[in-house]
Amino acid sequence: MPAERAGYTVTMFLVDLSPSMGTTRNVELPPDANGDQHTAEITNLEYGLQFVKLKIQEMIYNGRKTDQCGVIVFGSEETDNIVNEKNGGYEHVSEYIPIGQPNASTLAKLDALEPSSVAGDPIDALVVAVETQNTYLASKKTWTRKVVLVTDGESPMETEDWEAIVQKMDTLDVWLTVVGVDFDDDELPFYEENKSSIKKANEEFLTQFASSLRTGIIGTCALALRETTKPDIKQTKSTLMGTVLRLGDTDTRPEEAFEINVKNSKCTAIARAKSWKKFAMRPMDEEDGMDEEDRQAIYAELKMRSEYHLDPNIGEDEDGVKMEVDEEDKTKALEVVEKEQLIRGFKYGSTYAPCPDGQFPKLPTRKGIDICGFFKAKNFRRELSMGEIQYIWADPGQPQQQVALSSIVQAMIQKGYMAIARWVTKDGMDPKMGVLSPVMFDKVECFLWAQMPFADDIRKYTFASLDRLINKRGELITEHPYIPTKEQQAAMDKFVDAMDLMEAGDKDEDGNRQPWFDTRLSYNPAVHRVKQAMFHCAVVTDIATNPLPPPHPELLKYFDPPKRVLKYAKDAIEECQATFKVRQVPKRVAKQRKDGHVHARYDDDEMLLLDKKPTTKTQGATQSPTQTRSAQSSPKGKAKETKPPDSETEDDESDGEMLLDRAAPFKAEHPAAKKPPSNHPLPTPARSMSPDPGRAPGRIIGAAFPLKDFRQNLESGDLVTKAVEDLGEVIKEIVVKPFAMRRKAELLECMEALRETCLKEDEIDAWNSFLKGLKTVCASSPGNSAFWSAVQTHNETLSLITKAEAKEHGGLSLILASEAEEFFS
Amino acid sequence: MPPYDDWNRIDDEEDDELQDDYLEAKRDVILFCIDCSESMFAQRDDPRYEPGEVKTCHLQTALEAAVEIQKKKVIVGPNDSVGILLFNTTRKTEVKRSDTTEIKRHTYIYQPLEQISAPKIQEVMQLLDATRENPDELREAFPPLTGKKVPMGDVFTSCNWVLRDGYAPKTASKRIFLITDDDDPHSGAGSEQLLRSAKTTLDDLVQTGVTVEPFFISTDERSFDVAKFYSQVLPNGTTNGDENEESSTLPESISITRIDDLLAQMRFHEVPKRALFSIPFELAPGFTIGVKGYGLVTEQKKGSYKYFVDLGDRMELVNSTTRYVDEGTETEMDKSKIVYGMSIGATIADDDDDISGIGTRAVQAGKRPFYTAEEIRSFRTLGLEPKIRLLGFKDRETLLFEDNIKHSNFIYPDELIYAGSKRTFSALIKSMVSKNKIGLVLTLTRRNATPTFCALLPQEEKEDDAGWTDPPGFHLVPLPFADDIRAAPIEEACRASDELKDLAKAWVEKLAVKNGAYPPDSYPNPALAYHNAQLQASAFREEFDAESFEDLTEPKVDVMHRRAGKLIVAWKEALLEDDSASMVPATTGSKRKADVNVAEAEIRSKWESGTLSKLRVDQLKEFLKSKSLAVSGKKDDLIQRVSEWMESH
């Protein structure tokens, strides 16, 4: 059997249109936006056509001119095929789409197919297909011939002479694939219940037929469909490129130098997803008199065009301060320049360095790989490897060169060396530096080349030491929140051991567990997902009603740690969580600031000054020479409210380790986070005398200035649910603290603001449940019944939100007016 | 045909290698702030020459370093700005314009803060050249202030004003390179107050987003003691008023250096440290820290050329914009209306009744067979949010040499997003190093990137001889996907005998460096340097001297021949006697072929006698093929090519 080569193939699709194909079935659709499952009713024909369309789509996707297909339908009302024309017979078989390179209209035509009223014979169709294909390929003997038969096997078949057909197909080397709708399949597995006897017989026959062929397979449609979405690696055969491996000066001292003829080929090469084409809908002709039904939306492919223009704002602007021009003005000021007027050059600061060719003369170089020296492989710095890996082979046609390379590879392996080499791919090309690593396979030696960085490619950024912390007196500090304690280190050691993957994979033949994860089995999820999406959008007519099915599970298999490992590591993880106490710091802190002085926070001028430039500030902080400083708490930096509260919410716990953790408020990652993190209910301890919002971990509302915090959060707008919830919790906490009545007015004001927000922001349920909770809290011990009485006096503004009131604001509530009244009485 | 540079442009939706553009998009502003007091003028031997031969002074070296940095910066970031401010000099700044603030006394703007340009660089170079001729030149240009020192507070205030008035875009990173050899500028009376004012003004500066990177010059006679003055002034953890707090640490970027290393030290700070991404690192569900990612290894490419237009009096840069046009109707489409799909495919020539034209797709009104930008992004990310997720640990040995596709990134903890990140990160490095493990992680570094599996390679901090410290952190080494891995195309070849291998071993050993590894610092990119040298010559309107260009990446053949020449001769002799020399490779294919293999010696003799034309084309081709040369063209071309090879071998 000749090896399959890409393209140079004609595939004939044979589609059964017999009445039985009109039987409907339910298929599951992917979950919609709300996560609900839906099913759709489709005919067996539509079901089977999905496979055909996916296959054709793949051809369109690959875009090979030599990958062609034709469609023949059987069970059609009319008869239109070359065998019938010549010899008669073979009725109800029609050549539906002639052989050619498929395109979108091929798919559109398939969509137009409908079950007919006459039964068709698959074997007739097969004969017609083979004949049609043979005629088409009369002068293209080397092309691969494929036939795909889609049928439900419910129609009678003429099975006489089938051996002759098999023989004919084998002579022509035709590959047959039978896709049976609801055929029994051991692999899936699937077994149809109540199978009709005719289908049973047909299935048996087709199975026998397919297996008699040299290249025939049969399978059920469901499996075939699943297989089409399975990631499939496009095998690319790397070409062998010739070059020489050189050592020494071959020009003047050739006797002491050598050249080996070698070939290089790619060992790794980044596979990228095919790029998307851009389309836009043409504006619809409104005056078109057509019915809504017939109206068409036409999407046209867009082409990219470049335009060159002069920005007059640049250049006049010599004062240095760049004027802020808003977008509209900018476009107006543009002066379009014709491409012919342009001169190439480089920028050298504000100076222009002309270079009409687009590049300066290049460094003269000579093709080949020059060995510069050897070094111990154990000193190789893996992280410096910069790109794709190449194989370097001795010329396969020259045994002496093979022996020469083999001797060097073996010598290097024995000594544990790698080579430093300089590679010029073509005379005059820019050289690359890299290392050659010797490799010994079963029967051949070669080198692997990895490109390494030039001095220019390395950025030597300085980073603060994690271990060596020096205080300002120049002494080394050994205890600091940045330095893990013995206990923490032990927890981490345990975690690393628990999360080991070396024996977390599947078992091999001997029952030994293999490592989990193998690059050779890790499909690029983006590439395959994009490909699936591209297929899908070409097959369906509307994305909104027929969204892309979920990715094949094979793509996501390495997305999470193996369940076994996580389960095993549960204790270690919990221990780490408990000992390291990592807290998320709220993101939006640039807006708030606070000085070491109590009054400073009300200093409007300074507030403004800082609010103006949040970006610069952030940048300044991250780039400031002391990360230490910003992280810890400085008077003006960002980590402002990482200070502890000194309000009555404080707790007695005081632990040096908490230095960093002090009330670093944890901001929920998702605005919609529903649960307040209850695992840290206590505010953290106080150290400083400065006021603090007193936010508990995970809260965005503090006990010190709840209303202010609340309003600020509302302004920023994205955390309303969380703000509402937190304010409620905070109020409930404050109410039961000693001296809470001093803050009565403040609390009532908070509640009014809360209620108002709930009403507006559709958080009505949150208010109602908060109020009920508050009542309970006040009534229980220690409680605060006085406060509840105060609330009751504000019947107007603080009552439960009733159905009627909610409706007024476009919301929903289940509370009746009578209930609300009773609640407050 | 599309314009030549179209393929250079990366589509924003589809790019996952934006990193370099991103780096260049941010401008960098550096203000050199150099001390000009008496000690900076002290004449001393230039270490680059024989002792006593050439003299130099600290100020000269500092200015030389400033020139070098400018020269490098101008190529990497042509839009970056640089200025030079001198202090402790009596020279006064001439006020050119009314809108510029007069700066403090005894500070002098040598070069205002503006975009780097060839004339600016040349100005300093000329001054330095003159100084080499006449060492007093510098002193005359910038007479030092004698008897007293300008308050450092004034220096910082001047810096602030220069930065404010100069060309420093809001989004740029602004840095002051402070160069001084005086560790105690205010020792006399009133030092407390001067110190406080210096601190306050510096704080103000830092507030506006400016970073100060001090370069303190230490000499044999006098070592620079930071504790005397600067540790109390420079911003660090003590600014919250708690002066005695133990945990306060010094800024990370102080360089106390000998003047000779000044340039080397500056190189470390030449590129402002910018994070490529700042994302959460999930060690396990519910156990997340914050990290920032940096590109420590990134291919530095030649800048791409720009288009200019001649306006008569000057050349002006031209910008380009891209529009998307429906060629059927010649209408430009708004970016927001663009939807994405795949190519429609070739049209079947015959019965194509598609009336709407090529490249269009018609569907019923209201239906949309295309994706929105947001949808296609979710296909790329598979719905993940930017994050690094730890999957587990593996042995260090499982990270293979060949499992590489692109450069690695470096991650360092970010305490500002998750408090406690540093200690967790630090503990993780230690654990992994002691157990010799690597991590396996799933990463999505940015919103429009694609999920990638990476090996997490721990690096402990280590100081090398040159004073450079390997920073603590993890290297994220992207692993190839199954899709990226290609099979070995050759499975069998002749093997060398042990004798031959031992002969090879002999010379391999001679050419090995004992304790070295691949030394990136020894190999500046020659092609890039060659390009940049020509660019600079062009900008300076000088002639480029290609002869004087030295390519440091070329193998040191003289040393190699001296060390291993004889051994290579021995190996080559053995190779010639090897059985393989007479072996004829098994020809594949059943077709009978004429004998096309002609011995090299025979061809050489034909070449020498000028009778190459006696050979057949297939014989010539076979020979060329064996030398990996092109086999295209007519017979004359082939003979020409063979002759060329013979000449060079």
Side-chain angles (χ1 to χ4, degrees), chain A residues 425-447:
Chain A
T425 51
K426 231 169 100 181
D427 284 348
M429 290 298 276
D430 294 345
K432 290 183 165 72
M433 292 304 293
V435 296
L436 295 173
S437 168
V439 180
M440 235 170 137
F441 287 113
D442 281 349
K443 289 177 177 168
V444 64
E445 278 88 47
C446 72
F447 284 113

Side-chain angles (χ1 to χ4, degrees), chain A residues 185-484:
Chain A
D185 201 307
D186 295 332
E187 196 181 325
L188 200 54
F190 174 82
Y191 304 101
E192 190 181 21
E193 286 167 31
N194 311 322
K195 200 184 284 286
S196 66
S197 54
I198 179 166
K199 182 164 181 177
K200 207 166 180 188
N202 281 341
E203 263 190 64
E204 269 168 32
F205 168 74
L206 285 170
T207 310
Q208 188 190 9
F209 187 92
S211 54
S212 306
L213 280 165
R214 243 184 304 154
T215 46
I217 51 166
I218 183 163
T220 194
C221 192
L223 180 68
L225 282 173
R226 202 184 73 182
E227 289 302 299
T228 53
T229 58
K230 191 176 173 179
D232 145 63
I233 292 172
K234 199 176 159 193
Q235 288 293 347
T236 317
K237 212 177 156 204
S238 308
T239 41
L240 289 169
M241 304 285 289
T243 185
V244 292
L245 182 68
R246 198 182 300 127
L247 191 141
D249 178 0
T250 49
D251 290 334
T252 59
R253 283 162 283 189
E255 67 291 343
E256 286 187 353
F258 66 84
E259 270 183 2
I260 300 177
N261 291 319
V262 294
K263 304 272 180 192
N264 63 281
S265 70
K266 286 182 172 175
C267 176
T268 59
I270 298 180
R272 292 183 193 279
K274 224 176 186 181
S275 63
W276 294 92
K277 296 274 184 289
K278 295 181 173 63
F279 292 84
M281 193 170 73
R282 287 200 178 138
M284 299 247 256
D285 204 348
E286 291 301 329
E287 282 154 44
D288 216 327
M290 280 194 281
D291 298 337
E292 195 59 35
E293 289 280 300
D294 297 336
R295 282 188 58 180
Q296 283 196 323
I298 292 175
Y299 286 88
E301 191 174 336
L302 304 179
K303 294 279 187 286
M304 196 161 78
R305 274 190 204 167
S306 295
E307 200 170 72
Y308 298 90
H309 50 76
L310 197 59
D311 190 347
N313 298 322
I314 302 175
E316 291 166 12
D317 186 11
E318 274 162 11
D319 295 350
V321 186
K322 203 167 173 211
M323 303 286 287
E324 292 291 327
V325 192
D326 61 66
E327 204 53 40
E328 207 175 314
D329 289 350
K330 237 183 202 165
T331 4
K332 265 186 219 158
L334 295 182
E335 191 183 321
V336 177
V337 184
E338 289 303 312
K339 181 125 198 255
E340 289 69 33
Q341 288 176 269
L342 301 174
I343 302 162
R344 284 178 191 161
F346 289 92
K347 276 183 88 176
Y348 189 84
S350 57
T351 329
Y352 150 80
C355 179
D357 300 333
Q359 64 172 24
F360 293 111
K362 285 181 133 184
L363 182 72
T365 52
R366 177 170 157 203
K367 176 177 176 174
I369 304 171
D370 278 292
I371 294 179
C372 302
F374 300 90
F375 66 97
K376 284 275 183 214
K378 65 172 169 45
N379 292 337
F380 173 68
R381 299 196 60 167
R382 180 66 180 75
E383 70 274 14
L384 294 182
S385 185
M386 285 186 80
E388 299 172 347
I389 306 294
Q390 297 258 9
Y391 292 110
I392 312 284
W393 311 92
D395 190 322
Q398 295 172 295
Q400 200 179 6
Q401 308 289 320
Q402 293 164 16
V403 170
L405 187 120
S406 161
S407 71
I408 304 173
V409 168
Q410 290 188 43
M412 283 169 65
I413 288 181
Q414 256 184 19
K415 299 298 296 178
Y417 284 141
M418 284 190 193
I420 301 171
R422 174 184 189 262
W423 189 347
V424 175
T425 51
K426 231 169 100 181
D427 284 348
M429 290 298 276
D430 294 345
K432 290 183 165 72
M433 292 304 293
V435 296
L436 295 173
S437 168
V439 180
M440 235 170 137
F441 287 113
D442 281 349
K443 289 177 177 168
V444 64
E445 278 88 47
C446 72
F447 284 113
L448 288 174
W449 156 276
Q451 194 188 333
M452 299 292 276
F454 287 112
D456 317 55
D457 302 333
I458 295 215
R459 293 220 169 87
K460 294 201 163 175
Y461 293 149
T462 49
F463 291 89
S465 170
L466 290 179
D467 293 338
R468 285 173 51 85
L469 300 184
I470 296 171
N471 69 9
K472 52 185 289 183
R473 285 196 294 277
E475 297 152 347
L476 202 63
I477 309 169
T478 49
E479 275 179 40
H480 190 276
Y482 289 173
I483 300 175

Side-chain angles (χ1 to χ4, degrees), chain B residues 366-590:
Chain B
K367 292 196 171 181
R368 169 176 65 96
F370 295 99
Y371 299 111
T372 61
E374 191 50 43
E375 279 166 337
I376 62 166
R377 172 151 65 212
S378 77
F379 301 148
R380 292 165 55 83
T381 61
L382 281 106
L384 290 181
E385 284 296 309
K387 171 183 279 193
I388 298 175
R389 177 185 289 158
L390 180 75
L391 300 171
F393 301 95
K394 284 186 146 186
D395 294 347
R396 171 67 181 78
E397 292 74 38
T398 57
L399 177 56
L400 303 176
F401 182 89
E402 60 265 39
D403 278 347
N404 203 71
I405 36 167
K406 51 177 154 184
H407 65 80
S408 61
N409 284 321
F410 181 76
I411 56 170
Y412 185 83
D414 182 6
E415 198 68 25
L416 293 180
I417 308 295
Y418 287 87
S421 294
K422 278 198 174 177
R423 55 175 174 263
T424 312
F425 193 89
S426 186
L428 184 60
I429 294 181
K430 291 196 173 87
S431 272
M432 284 168 67
V433 168
S434 72
K435 294 173 193 298
N436 201 20
K437 290 282 177 185
I438 55 161
L440 177 71
V441 293
L442 172 69
T443 63
L444 185 76
T445 50
R446 286 174 302 113
R447 294 195 68 83
N448 62 344
T450 56
T452 314
F453 296 107
C454 292
L456 196 66
L457 191 61
Q459 172 170 299
E460 276 190 306
E461 54 186 301
K462 217 187 307 165
E463 203 163 323
D464 71 6
D465 310 335
W468 166 250
T469 314
D470 272 347
F474 289 103
H475 296 283
L476 277 179
V477 180
L479 296 172
F481 290 107
D483 314 70
D484 305 329
I485 299 173
R486 306 249 180 123
I490 292 174
E491 278 158 9
E492 197 168 353
C494 295
R495 275 225 152 112
S497 62
D498 281 352
E499 293 75 44
L500 196 62
K501 175 196 69 191
D502 289 339
L503 285 167
K505 212 154 73 180
W507 58 258
V508 165
E509 252 173 302
K510 285 282 176 207
L511 297 177
V513 283
K514 288 291 161 272
N515 273 315
Y518 173 85
D521 292 342
S522 320
Y523 296 122
N525 186 344
L528 191 61
Y530 199 73
H531 169 88
N532 290 342
Q534 292 180 80
L535 173 56
Q536 184 181 313
S538 171
F540 286 0
R541 299 182 196 286
E542 287 166 359
E543 203 58 43
F544 171 65
D545 178 16
E547 291 302 310
S548 67
F549 184 82
E550 192 189 356
D551 180 353
L552 296 170
T553 64
E554 278 177 355
K556 313 280 176 285
V557 284
D558 290 337
V559 184
M560 292 164 81
H561 283 288
R562 200 164 58 236
R563 282 205 207 158
K566 297 288 166 289
L567 295 166
I568 290 175
V569 172
W571 173 75
K572 278 175 80 176
E573 275 165 8
L575 183 63
L576 281 175
E577 281 156 28
D578 194 86
D579 298 340
S580 62
S582 50
M583 261 165 73
V584 180
T587 45
T588 47
S590 51

